[in-house]
Amino acid sequence: MRSFVFDALPGRVVFGAGSIELLPEELDRIGAKGVLLVYDVTSKDVADELIERLGDRIAGTFSDVEQHVPLEAAQRAWEAALEAGADCTVTLGGGSTTGFGKAIALEMGIPTIAIPTTYAGSEMTPIYGLTSEGRKRTGRDIRVLPKTVIYDPKLTVSLPPFVTGPIGMNALAHCIEALYTKDANPITSLMAEEGIRALARGLPASVAEPGSLEARTETLYGAYLAGAALAAVGMALHHRICHVLGGSFGLSHGDVNSVILPHVARFNAEAVPEALERVARAMGADDAALALFDLAVSLGAPTSLAGLGMREMDLDRVAEMSLEEPLWNPRPVDTSDVRAILDDAFHGRRPSRAARPSPMAS
Ligand code: NAD
């Protein structure tokens, strides 16, 4: 056993089918009186039920949610919270919606209860993101960590397969990078490996039968573990590339995760073979990169950047932007490495069995 540091985060998790019913008690626990309900329009029916149930505890609502929290939209959310005189936000939606709760918490210091409806995992982390002038900037601040997270698998049965697959690949990416990041420790690695196991079992079943509460429960459990692992440790190359593609080229976060993950797994495998063997074992496969690519195909999730509408002429810029700021990765990486990963990802190639040599080495 090696020495390690594990910085456990505070936070309460209420998990189970129907657990949204417990929101009033959870609000009591944190002493919230005036709630700003921040919700994604796809959850409007559930939001309407909450508004009716909570009555005058709802001080205001905000549903102008956009991916990657554009600064102007965050400013509108701050105004909504101020006007409502809210002392708490409740977010109901995916990672984009949770991101608005975090932006409000960061600016105004009021607590959040998150009710996630996707597999993003943001609800478990103290990481926030704000996008301005075409760039997404992220930071860590304990104030943005939701006080309570209510995971209700019933809220996820409406996620269509074309959303379930890519967002599930995003959750897998959190587990995988958590296994090889420099802060990895035995506790987060346990969460990550169990998360991969749950996601690899739950996702295909959730796509095949979206209404299956059993499949949705397993997938949401995996997504929770993925978020918890992400929260405790840093990420690496995969997440950096995805943030550039999402924040600066307008691609959907889940979609780019699905495309990029197998290629970064192949690239990093030679530096951290034990971590990638652990991934393969949890997926019931013998090679992680191939298993991830094949899983994406079987989920109907994207496997090529070209298919997402990315222009090949922009790939050089993506490679440069990915390494503009210092990056820790288990295998040293330069722009030509990133460009080679992007090339495979652009064309949607199934990863080769062996890692490509770095272009600079040849
Ligand atoms: P999202 O919140 O944008 O949701 C994706 C789509 O699914 C949207 O169209 C939404 O309307 C729809 N949707 C959500 N819930 C639904 C439901 N139950 N039924 C039907 N449709 C539903 O996407 P996401 O992948 O959940 O989150 C992505 C965002 O979260 C990105 O901005 C990403 O950077 C951020 N994120 C942040 C962290 C963090 O720690 N800060 C972690 C992961 C992701």
Side-chain angles (χ1 to χ4, degrees):
M1 171 65 69
R2 278 183 291 154
S3 308
F4 66 89
V5 173
F6 173 40
D7 200 353
L9 290 163
R12 176 176 161 89
V13 168
V14 180
F15 188 103
S19 52
I20 194 171
E21 301 293 326
L22 301 172
L23 177 61
E25 286 92 318
E26 293 304 323
L27 287 169
D28 289 344
R29 276 183 71 96
I30 64 167
K33 301 216 166 21
V35 172
L36 180 76
L37 179 63
V38 179
Y39 66 93
D40 181 304
V41 282
T42 56
S43 295
K44 186 172 181 328
D45 290 352
V46 182
D48 286 345
E49 279 169 31
L50 284 182
I51 292 166
E52 199 174 318
R53 255 191 94 205
L54 292 173
D56 56 14
R57 279 179 103 169
I58 296 284
T61 62
F62 179 84
S63 58
D64 192 9
V65 166
E66 294 174 44
Q67 265 216 349
H68 305 303
V69 198
L71 185 59
E72 315 75 57
Q75 276 159 348
R76 289 195 289 278
W78 295 331
E79 280 158 26
L82 259 182
E83 265 172 38
D87 64 0
C88 162
T89 60
V90 170
T91 59
L92 174 69
S96 300
T97 310
T98 311
F100 275 81
K102 289 178 165 185
I104 295 169
L106 186 70
E107 179 72 11
M108 307 178 62
I110 59 176
T112 307
I113 293 183
I115 310 176
T117 63
T118 71
Y119 307 127
S122 173
E123 64 282 352
M124 292 308 297
T125 83
I127 305 165
Y128 62 88
L130 277 171
T131 303
S132 64
E133 293 163 4
R135 269 176 195 265
K136 182 166 184 172
R137 290 181 180 80
T138 57
R140 267 182 185 257
D141 192 313
I142 195 70
R143 285 176 301 168
V144 309
L145 180 71
K147 288 275 172 286
T148 307
V149 180
I150 298 179
Y151 282 109
D152 187 340
K154 281 186 177 174
L155 302 177
T156 63
V157 296
S158 55
L159 274 175
F162 76 90
V163 180
T164 299
I167 295 184
M169 293 297 290
N170 179 28
L172 271 171
H174 297 153
C175 295
I176 291 167
E177 293 229 290
L179 279 172
Y180 59 56
T181 180
K182 65 176 182 314
D183 321 317
N185 65 69
I187 317 304
T188 49
S189 295
L190 277 176
M191 293 194 281
E193 190 172 339
E194 172 69 356
I196 295 169
R197 200 167 284 119
L199 289 163
R201 252 191 332 240
L203 279 170
S206 297
V207 163
E209 202 186 328
S212 162
L213 205 50
E214 196 185 329
R216 293 298 190 172
T217 301
E218 180 138 44
T219 308
L220 194 60
Y221 171 60
Y224 154 49
L225 292 172
L230 164 71
V233 295
M235 294 282 118
L237 178 62
H238 170 79
H239 279 82
R240 177 63 64 75
I241 296 175
C242 291
H243 273 167
V244 171
L245 287 167
S248 301
F249 293 85
L251 301 183
S252 150
H253 188 66
D255 287 350
V256 294
N257 267 273
S258 175
V259 175
I260 299 295
L261 186 59
H263 303 289
V264 174
R266 169 61 72 240
F267 178 79
N268 280 335
E270 71 172 44
V272 277
E274 311 82 18
L276 273 299
E277 275 159 25
R278 238 172 136 168
V279 175
R281 192 168 63 223
M283 294 183 78
D286 67 353
D287 181 277
L290 294 179
L292 288 166
F293 185 88
D294 294 344
L295 177 66
V297 171
S298 76
L299 296 175
T303 51
S304 99
L305 290 178
L308 298 181
M310 187 74 197
R311 297 184 310 176
E312 195 165 11
M313 61 189 278
D314 288 331
L315 298 183
D316 287 340
R317 183 80 193 111
V318 176
E320 281 161 22
M321 287 175 77
S322 298
L323 298 183
E324 261 169 18
E325 284 172 29
L327 170 77
W328 183 90
N329 191 60
R331 179 175 164 189
V333 54
D334 61 28
T335 46
S336 58
D337 294 322
V338 181
R339 187 61 181 79
I341 288 169
L342 290 169
D343 194 61
D344 285 340
F346 182 80
H347 293 286
R349 296 184 189 111
R350 189 169 187 257
S352 54
R353 274 239 157 227
R356 280 183 182 211
S358 166
M360 296 303 278
S362 53

